[in-house]
Amino acid sequence: MTAKRKQLKLATTLIAPRAASGGWRHPGAEAYAKEPISYYAELARKAEDGKLDYLFQPDQYRVSATTDREFQHNVNVWPEPVTLLTAMAAFTKRIGLAATISTTYNEPYHVARMMATLDHLSGGRASWNIVQSIGELEAPNFKNDHRPKQEERDTHSAAFVDVVKELWDSWEDDAIIADKEAGIFADPGKIHIVGHESKWFSVKGPLNVARPTQGYPVLIQAGQSDSFKERAAQNADVIFTMLNDLTQARQFYKDVKQRLPKYGRTSEELLIMPGLHLHVGTTMEEAREKQQYLTELERFDTRLDRISFMLGIEITEQMLDGPLPVAHEGLVTAKYKRNKELADRQGWTTVRQLHRHLEEIGGHLTLIGTPVQIADRLEEWLVNEGADGFTYIPNILPSGLDDLVDLVIPELQNRGLFRKAYEHTTLRGNLGLSRPRNRYVKAD
């Protein structure tokens, strides 16, 4: 008997970042979804036709504009993820639904019940992309005297997630009996008080939603720092990160995976799925022409949020031609430290110079070529343990999703690198992830 060949995991976003900064003028882009239900349902069905693992909806709690020029030229409206994906659950059957929710500007009880409800309504297809709101650009939209400081957000987020998981566990799987004749709805011995009291949270519990279908929705976390790797190795199911060099990706992959045994986990229990951009054509020349045309439409001078994301720190318009900030304790992101070290080596002194270079090399892995050429690269990353799969970020929608599903995926399927049919009904099942045990139930 031959061993089954390892297959890629693939997700796609329902937001196209480059479409927001001028790409919305592209003939293949939907500038503004005036009928959002039909628009997003079409995208979701297309992704499910391609047998993708899940829909991934990024989010932030602010518009990406601070000036009239940015409001004038950039797209700054998008649907709230949990509401959108709950609607999409009705239009799909197997594809997963991953919503981004920040631990900084929410409460554990709210997140626990929203995600548990999404998991029940979708039949076990929910996923939570756990983020912290880095920087302070979102802060003016919230009262902040009780929010964690920047240096506290890792600790705060870890505690937040643990409280959410404990709330999910507060009802055991068989707690609800619903015996009409006996008049017994639930077994009190299988319902648990959380009783959490700490610096940030006061949560009595139990939750008022039954334990999620999957036990826990799939937990996605994003980052690259050493401390992040340790947290992800302990708690995450999927890592979303920015890697565009195979050598560095292999080092990251090996580093994360070798941390798993100390937490009683195997390599298969944590999937690494970096971001991916594609420019696909029937020839390399056509693919490059598509890339160039999109680039000509973009206005990076009006996208301070994109510049901030690529550098790893918050950037204002006044900083663009100013000196690069020193990577001191207040600027602790691993991404910015790496970028500042690169700038120092190259002699770049301004934010604009560093950003121009990062745009040229791209943040996420960017592949340009025919379906065969792109499949070659994706296979290379999978076989050489640079990634378990990818989170596809279309440059524009809906045509960018069409390129993946209609052109690239058939080539991957022909090579046996990607499924032709879903094998399970839950997202955990399709990702090959086990169902978490309830902390209140003793192991057999």
Side-chain angles (χ1 to χ4, degrees):
M1 176 182 284
T2 58
K4 184 177 180 180
R5 190 177 189 188
K6 186 177 181 181
Q7 293 189 330
L8 282 164
K9 307 299 180 184
L10 289 174
T12 187
T13 66
L14 294 180
I15 286 180
R18 295 183 72 177
S21 58
W24 58 269
R25 296 183 293 145
H26 193 286
E30 179 75 26
Y32 172 63
K34 296 180 180 179
E35 297 181 358
I37 280 287
S38 58
Y39 171 68
Y40 285 106
E42 181 180 351
L43 290 176
R45 289 177 180 135
K46 184 72 176 185
E48 191 165 65
D49 287 344
K51 304 300 181 288
L52 271 66
D53 287 282
Y54 56 88
L55 305 172
F56 180 86
Q57 187 69 351
D59 194 29
Q60 57 186 7
Y61 300 145
R62 65 182 177 92
V63 296
S64 305
T66 56
T67 66
D68 288 346
R69 183 173 61 173
E70 290 172 329
F71 277 113
Q72 182 178 19
H73 295 292
N74 298 340
V75 176
N76 270 295
V77 291
W78 60 90
E80 188 280 318
V82 177
T83 309
L84 171 65
L85 294 174
T86 300
M88 292 305 99
F91 291 94
T92 56
K93 295 181 179 179
R94 295 295 182 87
I95 195 165
L97 308 164
T100 298
I101 307 176
S102 170
T103 56
T104 306
Y105 298 114
N106 282 286
E107 291 292 331
Y109 202 93
H110 290 144
V111 174
R113 67 196 305 258
M114 285 192 297
M115 293 309 303
T117 299
L118 177 58
D119 205 45
H120 285 296
L121 292 177
S122 64
R125 295 185 284 135
S127 173
W128 174 21
N129 176 40
I130 305 163
V131 300
Q132 304 166 38
S133 295
I134 302 299
E136 296 301 326
L137 293 182
E138 295 171 313
N141 292 320
F142 302 90
K143 184 173 176 59
N144 283 291
D145 56 0
H146 62 298
R147 306 289 177 185
K149 298 176 182 179
Q150 287 283 357
E151 62 271 17
E152 297 176 312
R153 289 186 182 176
D154 283 350
T155 304
H156 170 270
S157 184
F160 187 112
V161 173
D162 192 61
V163 173
V164 170
K165 289 160 67 173
E166 192 165 2
L167 284 165
W168 287 333
D169 285 339
S170 63
W171 287 75
E172 295 182 24
D173 291 320
D174 57 351
I176 298 175
I177 299 170
D179 186 335
K180 293 183 179 180
E181 189 171 325
I184 299 174
F185 179 76
D187 180 351
K190 296 185 177 183
I191 305 169
H192 304 278
I193 300 297
V194 172
H196 178 95
E197 293 289 341
S198 66
K199 177 179 179 179
W200 292 294
F201 312 119
S202 177
V203 183
K204 179 181 179 181
L207 196 63
N208 60 357
V209 181
R211 192 167 193 251
T213 303
Q214 297 181 101
Y216 304 159
V218 171
L219 302 179
I220 303 172
Q221 292 184 299
Q224 286 188 336
S225 69
D226 194 66
S227 60
F228 164 79
K229 293 174 189 174
E230 197 66 27
R231 295 195 307 275
Q234 185 174 5
N235 293 310
D237 296 309
V238 177
I239 289 178
F240 170 62
T241 190
M242 183 182 290
L243 296 167
N244 55 35
D245 176 82
L246 181 55
T247 299
Q248 293 178 352
R250 293 184 67 191
Q251 293 171 349
F252 180 90
Y253 188 99
K254 182 179 180 180
D255 187 357
V256 171
K257 299 279 187 170
Q258 69 184 10
R259 297 171 189 251
L260 294 169
K262 75 173 73 171
Y263 300 110
R265 307 180 69 192
T266 65
S267 177
E268 293 75 22
E269 292 179 290
L270 176 59
L271 303 173
I272 298 176
M273 297 177 62
L276 172 69
H277 293 301
L278 298 177
H279 299 278
V280 190
T282 56
T283 64
M284 175 62 82
E285 291 72 22
E286 179 186 336
R288 291 195 181 280
E289 287 174 3
K290 291 170 70 172
Q291 178 201 27
Q292 183 60 34
Y293 180 61
L294 181 62
T295 300
E296 290 171 356
L297 293 174
E298 296 183 271
R299 298 177 60 96
F300 290 119
D301 60 321
T302 66
R303 284 305 302 270
L304 295 177
D305 65 315
R306 179 174 172 82
I307 298 173
S308 299
F309 176 73
M310 296 195 74
L311 268 65
I313 57 171
E314 298 289 358
I315 296 296
T316 65
E317 189 171 0
Q318 292 72 29
M319 295 170 64
L320 286 176
D321 293 304
L324 284 161
V326 176
H328 54 75
E329 285 302 312
L331 297 170
V332 295
T333 66
K335 185 192 298 186
Y336 183 68
K337 286 182 178 179
R338 290 195 305 274
N339 287 331
K340 181 64 167 63
E341 290 170 359
L342 171 65
D344 291 344
R345 290 196 301 270
Q346 298 296 329
W348 301 321
T349 58
T350 69
V351 169
R352 191 182 296 273
Q353 288 174 320
L354 176 57
H355 171 247
R356 184 178 296 119
H357 171 75
L358 295 177
E359 283 294 349
E360 289 175 356
I361 65 171
H364 292 290
L365 177 64
T366 299
L367 301 182
I368 306 167
T370 66
V372 170
Q373 291 170 320
I374 288 171
D376 285 344
R377 293 291 304 282
L378 298 181
E379 182 173 7
E380 180 184 21
W381 277 58
L382 178 68
V383 171
N384 288 285
E385 297 188 332
D388 296 303
F390 294 91
T391 305
Y392 176 52
I393 307 169
N395 293 301
I396 52 175
L397 286 168
S399 61
L401 183 56
D402 293 338
D403 287 345
L404 175 68
V405 173
D406 297 337
L407 301 177
V408 177
I409 284 181
E411 178 62 29
L412 295 173
Q413 290 171 331
N414 289 339
R415 301 181 185 203
L417 294 173
F418 193 68
R419 67 167 68 88
K420 294 184 178 180
Y422 291 107
E423 297 178 347
H424 300 274
T425 58
T426 69
L427 177 56
R428 283 189 172 275
N430 285 318
L431 290 175
L433 301 172
S434 61
R435 189 176 188 273
R437 184 176 62 85
N438 192 312
R439 71 185 65 197
Y440 294 107
V441 178
K442 292 182 179 180
D444 293 335

